[in-house]
Amino acid sequence: MPPSITTVLAARRIPAVPAPMGNSNNSISIFTSVGFQVLTTKEYQNAVEALKPDIVIPLADLTNHSTAPNTKRALRMADRTDQWVKEYFDELDSQGVLNPSKISTFAPILPIDYSIQWEYIERLAEDLFPNLAGLAVYDPDVLPDIADKYANLLTLPRLSLSAPATPHHILRQIGLGMDLFTIPFINTVSDSGLALTFTFPSPSSQPETTDAQPNGPGTSLKPLGIDLSCPSNQISLAPLLENCTCYACTNHHKAYIHHLLNAREMLGWTLLQIHNHAVISQFFASIRETLSLGQEAFEAAVDKFTLTYEPDFPAGTGEKPRARGYHYKSGAGEGKRNKPGWSKFGGDETPAAEKENGNPADVAPVNVAADVNA
């Protein structure tokens, strides 16, 4: 791999697909291209030794469900993770895998209360600290407690694995002390036909609402993005975002991408992805610049950003790209994501091929790491 690309090895995608089977004392359940499989701690260590990535996140006992685990389950999560991280270092350090390969280990911090995982965090701070290169944090709200008890851990880079939903969430997590991010919402907004339009710090002039892109009744907040599937873009020769220097904005206009999305050409979503990555890159570059001016300047810019932009992304009205079953596991009662490609004339709307074979769906999120301290 080129030196400009950082490889990160973790057991699950972000956000993870919940598994129907639970974890055991020496393995976790993960979703793969061939369905749900069991990954043992030994197999994961072998993968680290064979792949030699730049960053490794050791196995953590996570539930990956929307509901918080009960106290008994949370205690088991902390105990298992503590044991797995200890085994990870004992095994790979004894074989000389980590240091010669310059593999950086980011220890997982669980999404449970500090009071439940304090013994595990104490081991990280006192026994394993010399071996750590960073922290992989699943819940940034735990950071203030760690800062009070084990401030030495916060001298390490902190990678957020909580999948922030909007730039507002990113700014809040930076305020809590996060440094690096995985940002799945870039994929989500691109697939929805949205072009990101926010900037940081936010513009000085207050935006005006328009009939084409309403921001909601009684509000003058600026949208975080625009829907390129909206008919108002059909004849617009303007770039996706004024003064944006990305490939999509310098070579194409809204009307062209609107046409591509309506024609379901994959190039349309590709150009949106290029643009949205450029907006996020500039967003973090501006954050780093603002942080260099001091904490007060950053907090003032965050407050202004909150007062300028809508709290959520607009809902895309266009169709998403066709999805594949190995990318996504649909939940119980969830409808099919792909519309039928054809149907019987004047009869049943469901294609015979779909009836026979089914139609697995959705697109895998692409994790983007962004560094606010680079």
Side-chain angles (χ1 to χ4, degrees):
M1 298 290 287
S4 60
I5 297 178
T6 301
T7 55
V8 181
L9 178 63
R12 295 183 175 95
R13 67 183 72 182
I14 301 294
V17 176
M21 308 93 70
N23 303 329
S24 69
N25 288 331
N26 63 355
S27 67
I28 64 172
S29 180
I30 60 174
F31 183 59
T32 72
S33 60
V34 291
F36 288 102
Q37 300 289 326
V38 171
L39 176 66
T40 66
T41 54
K42 181 62 177 176
E43 290 171 338
Y44 191 70
Q45 292 166 5
N46 292 339
V48 173
E49 184 176 0
L51 297 174
K52 293 181 173 58
D54 296 309
I55 296 175
V56 175
I57 302 173
L59 292 186
D61 185 21
L62 303 172
T63 58
N64 296 308
H65 290 288
S66 57
T67 56
N70 58 38
T71 302
K72 182 178 179 180
R73 180 68 180 93
L75 287 169
R76 189 160 64 247
M77 290 169 61
D79 290 341
R80 284 177 175 172
T81 303
D82 187 10
Q83 181 63 30
W84 291 348
V85 172
K86 182 177 181 300
E87 291 176 358
Y88 166 87
F89 282 110
D90 289 345
E91 180 71 17
L92 296 184
D93 265 351
S94 64
Q95 298 178 11
V97 173
L98 297 179
N99 290 335
S101 305
K102 298 181 179 179
I103 296 176
S104 299
T105 300
F106 279 46
I109 302 297
L110 301 173
I112 55 179
D113 289 341
Y114 169 82
S115 59
I116 296 177
Q117 58 178 324
W118 71 269
E119 289 181 296
Y120 162 61
I121 294 176
E122 183 180 57
R123 182 191 296 275
L124 295 179
E126 297 181 357
D127 300 336
L128 300 177
F129 181 78
N131 299 319
L132 298 180
L135 302 177
V137 184
Y138 289 91
D139 182 5
D141 289 324
V142 180
L143 289 180
D145 290 319
I146 296 178
D148 290 340
K149 307 297 192 304
Y150 302 102
N152 64 319
L153 285 177
L154 295 191
T155 62
L156 300 172
R158 284 136 280 164
L159 169 63
S160 173
L161 299 180
S162 64
T166 68
H168 297 286
H169 292 85
I170 293 175
L171 293 171
R172 177 184 177 274
Q173 292 189 21
I174 292 173
L176 290 173
M178 297 307 307
D179 299 311
L180 302 154
F181 293 85
T182 52
I183 311 176
F185 72 65
I186 295 183
N187 238 44
T188 304
V189 297
S190 297
D191 287 350
S192 299
L194 300 179
L196 299 179
T197 55
F198 59 85
T199 59
F200 185 90
S202 54
S204 300
S205 59
Q206 287 297 320
E208 296 180 0
T209 56
T210 65
D211 295 335
Q213 298 284 344
N215 300 321
T219 179
S220 61
L221 295 179
K222 197 171 185 179
L224 294 170
I226 57 173
D227 182 7
L228 269 297
S229 299
C230 182
S232 63
N233 298 305
Q234 189 170 5
I235 58 174
S236 175
L237 301 182
L240 304 182
L241 177 63
E242 291 295 334
N243 301 320
C244 179
T245 58
C246 76
Y247 174 83
C249 288
T250 55
N251 292 275
H252 304 290
H253 44 65
K254 294 179 181 178
Y256 177 62
I257 298 179
H258 171 82
H259 158 72
L260 292 175
L261 295 177
N262 280 353
R264 296 188 59 76
E265 289 284 350
M266 198 63 205
L267 177 59
W269 291 291
T270 301
L271 291 174
L272 280 176
Q273 190 79 327
I274 291 172
H275 168 77
N276 290 338
H277 272 274
V279 170
I280 289 294
S281 295
Q282 183 57 49
F283 177 67
F284 277 97
S286 299
I287 289 174
R288 290 191 290 268
E289 183 179 350
T290 305
L291 285 170
S292 67
L293 302 177
Q295 187 65 25
E296 290 187 5
F298 173 72
E299 291 176 356
V302 171
D303 291 340
K304 184 179 178 182
F305 187 90
T306 303
L307 296 174
T308 302
Y309 290 101
E310 290 280 355
D312 297 308
F313 292 112
T317 57
E319 293 185 29
K320 294 183 178 181
R322 289 195 66 81
R324 299 294 180 264
Y326 58 83
H327 287 140
Y328 177 81
K329 176 63 178 175
S330 58
E334 186 175 351
K336 296 178 180 178
R337 299 295 180 89
N338 294 334
K339 291 186 177 181
W342 54 273
S343 61
K344 293 182 179 180
F345 180 73
D348 189 356
E349 293 295 328
T350 304
E354 184 181 332
K355 282 183 176 180
E356 180 180 352
N357 300 323
N359 196 11
D362 204 27
V363 177
V366 174
N367 296 331
V368 178
D371 183 1
V372 300
N373 288 332

